[in-house]
Amino acid sequence: MAEATPSFKIFPGQAFPLGASEVDNGINFAIFSQHATAVTLCLSLPQRGELDMLAGGMIEFSLDPNLNKTGDIWHICIEDLPRSNVLYGYRIDGPKDWDKGHRFDSNNVLIDPYAKLVEGRRNFGDAKHKLSKFLGTYDFDSLPFDWGEDYKLPNIPERDLVVYEMNVRAFTADESSCLDQDIRGTYAGLIEKIPHLLELGINAVELLPVFEFDEFEFQRRPNPRDHMINTWGYSTINFFAPMSRYGSGGGGAVSASREFKEMVKALHGAGIEVILDVVYNHTNEADDKHPYTTSFRGIDNKVYYMVDLNNEGQLLNFSGCGNTFNCNHPVVMELILDSLRNWVVEYHIDGFRFDLASVLCRGTDGSPLGAPPLIRAIAKDATLSRCKIIAEPWDCGGLYLVGSFPNWDRWAEWNGKYRDDLRRFIKGDPGMKGAFATRVSGSADLYRKNKRKPYHSVNFVIAHDGFTLRDLVSYNFKHNEANGEGGNDGSNDNFSWNCGFEGETDNVDIIALRFRQMKNFHLALMVSQGVPMMLMGDEYGHTRYGNNNSYGHDTALNNFQWQQLNARKSDHFRFFSEVIHYRQKHRVFSHENFLDRSDVTWHEDNWDNPDSKFLAFTLHDKGGGEIYLAFNAHDFFVKVSIPPAPPKRRWFRVVDTNLASPDDFVGEGVPGIGSTYNVAPYSSILLEAK
């Protein structure tokens, strides 16, 4: 042992549960490593100084493989340890054969993969602690969280979801949020802004990653990206611990965990579900050239990552981030399932969106699997059975599975084809009318298989990746120079149109056309069968000035601009929220099953003409109500014949995106619709029969 004092009574301990747990005679520590030859538990006690002062300040317990090992699990129990405020990690040694996939280095103190809480620097972006260490901790002192007597889960049927993709920090970090400095950019800050979410009308938030990550990871060595701060968080350090620096007031991991639960409780109280964007395809530990070893790499690289044993044990890289988590290895699969269950049981999470989920469909050698064990296990797991499970059905190794993601009739998908086809039709590309009709009616070509439903398509035009909605109609090209990679990062296939001028302009006609196009996209999204998802900030027209890969900017580029929201509250925002509320009130937009001939009439005999960019259709409600929609992507007026309204009803105009606010949306409808309607260039209309 490295230090003789203070003295503790130690026992062999037990192999389960993994992580730190409270047992009758003390605190038990258990960690898996199949290939380790030596394991040392390192502890830092509460009075022993700051996290950044760890050098040499830890008590070490060497584990005896004859006493402290069961199978591949190393374990030890220590009596009389404090029940909280203890930091812990492991030094692990083993074979040095890189070509066999090993990366052991006993100089590193590693985070327990099963640590439920992780301590690092206390404040987000605090440059004084840029190279802060991260260590596991535990809390057996706090009382169980009080979810409240009348608390209940929203349990919203999938078909009724309207999803708002958002970033916890960026939502309230800007001073325009008018929150106290201590709670800007935190879970508590999000709670303060729930009234905005309710006014907008969404009923589910999809949070960009909230597992512990190191926002300074780009700044650990000189490189072209060393000016950036990771604000998106797609770089997990640990799969159980909530991001501690999203807690308010620099309160640390225990406080952040409690505040996270307060946020979920408040959202649930408002009838809003919480879906987490989870990143199990890779970790923060990067590649072999510039590794950032904090946990898995030093514990058992060959188990936790895909390595190419035919190529000197190199890391395989299907994630685009230097490493690929070995998701279908039995041990890694169990870790992922335990992590997901923990978020559901401990934090009451309602669903998960799996980043680059095609990686989760690869075997341990990287080859695609037809029935991936992990994907099946998630679909069949009892604890996860009430959760929404959503795949991003592609990866950086070319495994594109939109419409064919292994699903067991449970998995939904981010519908990338919906995004591309809607963008192309609305901007006026030729030959897109049929594809547009297919997408707004639920993408039956992709999802009408076995028992899948329209709501297994998560429809979106905009997500965190790529352009904002405002930029989609303002830029033909990405402008990513600020990212430090010479503009080489980010997608080139944006299907965007700048409406006649690249970037910011004072031209009132171009500005008007852009706002009209944004309304057209939003209307199309909200009348489509399936689950609509929109991006935070699009409700006021947020711009990133053409940057379509803004993960590294802790600035107004990403941060919600509350003053801009207030400036557009009565027009752009009003339209967006009214259309969402209208969708919620009309079941005709969220069918349980795919549309048949009695559900929709296409007013169209020109399907095969690529130059036709106008589409009109009527959705029939079994209760007798009807909704007529027309989308004109031509640059000229189209005079269209309106079909007769059903008996004893007449048409009322609810939406015409060509009209100025408040006439662009009139909830009760405007009467006096004749037998024809002149639909303006690049505009859309919605009529309701009443």
Side-chain angles (χ1 to χ4, degrees), residues 390-541:
I390 304 164
E392 181 184 36
W394 50 82
D395 65 15
C396 294
L399 189 56
Y400 188 78
L401 296 173
V402 173
S404 58
F405 192 86
N407 58 78
W408 285 273
D409 298 325
R410 265 282 275 139
W411 283 80
E413 300 174 15
W414 266 26
N415 188 344
K417 290 185 176 170
Y418 180 97
R419 173 196 61 208
D420 295 347
D421 289 347
L422 255 80
R423 288 182 176 195
R424 294 183 64 194
F425 175 81
I426 297 286
K427 82 184 183 74
D429 279 6
M432 293 307 300
K433 180 158 65 176
F436 177 70
T438 300
R439 299 295 155 241
V440 295
S441 56
S443 295
D445 61 327
L446 300 174
Y447 300 109
R448 195 174 203 154
K449 289 176 191 154
N450 302 324
K451 294 180 187 162
R452 296 188 93 182
K453 302 288 187 183
Y455 52 72
H456 287 131
S457 172
V458 175
N459 299 328
F460 67 105
V461 176
I462 302 295
H464 67 276
D465 267 329
F467 284 142
T468 65
L469 188 57
R470 171 92 172 260
D471 289 356
L472 184 70
V473 298
S474 305
Y475 293 90
N476 287 351
F477 306 100
K478 66 184 186 188
H479 296 267
N480 292 3
E481 294 71 27
N483 299 352
E485 296 187 52
N488 290 320
D489 64 308
S491 173
N492 294 315
D493 302 321
N494 297 294
F495 303 117
S496 62
W497 176 46
N498 64 22
C499 296
F501 184 85
E502 187 73 359
E504 298 290 299
T505 178
D506 297 329
N507 183 310
V508 291
D509 294 333
I510 290 176
I511 292 170
L513 175 55
R514 287 174 177 176
F515 276 94
R516 196 156 78 239
Q517 286 288 71
M518 287 191 267
K519 291 192 286 188
N520 294 332
F521 277 120
H522 186 64
L523 180 67
L525 177 64
M526 291 300 157
V527 301
S528 294
Q529 304 299 320
V531 173
M533 181 185 79
M534 65 169 290
L535 177 66
M536 167 186 111
D538 283 348
E539 67 267 38
Y540 65 80

Side-chain angles (χ1 to χ4, degrees), residues 80-269:
D80 296 329
L81 271 183
R83 299 177 70 226
S84 60
N85 289 319
V86 174
L87 302 175
Y88 78 100
Y90 292 91
R91 295 186 192 278
I92 298 188
D93 212 352
K96 300 293 188 282
D97 310 315
W98 272 53
D99 59 327
K100 296 198 172 116
H102 302 304
R103 304 290 188 269
F104 290 105
D105 179 354
S106 58
N107 292 314
N108 294 314
V109 179
L110 304 163
I111 302 164
D112 175 5
Y114 275 81
K116 299 299 188 295
L117 299 164
V118 171
E119 279 281 4
R121 75 183 71 82
R122 285 293 180 94
N123 294 294
F124 192 96
D126 177 4
K128 291 196 299 294
H129 298 282
K130 190 178 284 190
L131 298 179
S132 158
K133 296 273 187 293
F134 293 83
L135 285 171
T137 185
Y138 56 77
D139 173 30
F140 300 118
D141 274 330
S142 297
L143 291 168
F145 182 76
D146 179 11
W147 289 94
E149 286 198 6
D150 52 354
Y151 168 84
K152 60 178 192 294
L153 297 165
N155 274 327
I156 299 167
E158 244 170 309
R159 63 184 271 189
D160 295 332
L161 289 176
V162 177
V163 181
Y164 185 77
E165 195 195 21
M166 65 177 298
N167 176 294
V168 170
R169 176 165 172 79
F171 193 47
T172 64
D174 196 82
E175 60 184 51
S176 65
S177 67
C178 297
L179 299 178
D180 288 347
Q181 193 139 11
D182 257 7
I183 68 165
R184 284 183 209 156
T186 66
Y187 306 124
L190 193 155
I191 294 172
E192 295 296 314
K193 297 296 189 180
I194 289 175
H196 168 71
L197 302 176
L198 292 173
E199 188 181 358
L200 180 59
I202 58 93
N203 57 19
V205 291
E206 186 174 301
L207 304 180
L208 262 62
V210 290
F211 296 4
E212 186 71 31
F213 66 92
D214 180 3
E215 68 273 22
F216 277 119
E217 63 178 7
F218 308 129
Q219 303 195 21
R220 299 178 58 76
R221 59 181 177 84
N223 70 92
R225 299 192 294 166
D226 61 13
H227 59 294
M228 300 222 283
I229 288 180
N230 186 343
T231 57
W232 283 2
Y234 289 88
S235 202
T236 314
I237 282 182
N238 171 283
F239 295 108
F240 292 86
M243 175 56 170
S244 58
R245 287 169 302 290
Y246 285 174
S248 58
V254 174
S255 170
S257 169
R258 189 165 53 246
E259 192 175 307
F260 188 104
K261 292 172 187 173
E262 294 285 5
M263 175 190 73
V264 174
K265 179 179 173 181
L267 285 162
H268 283 174

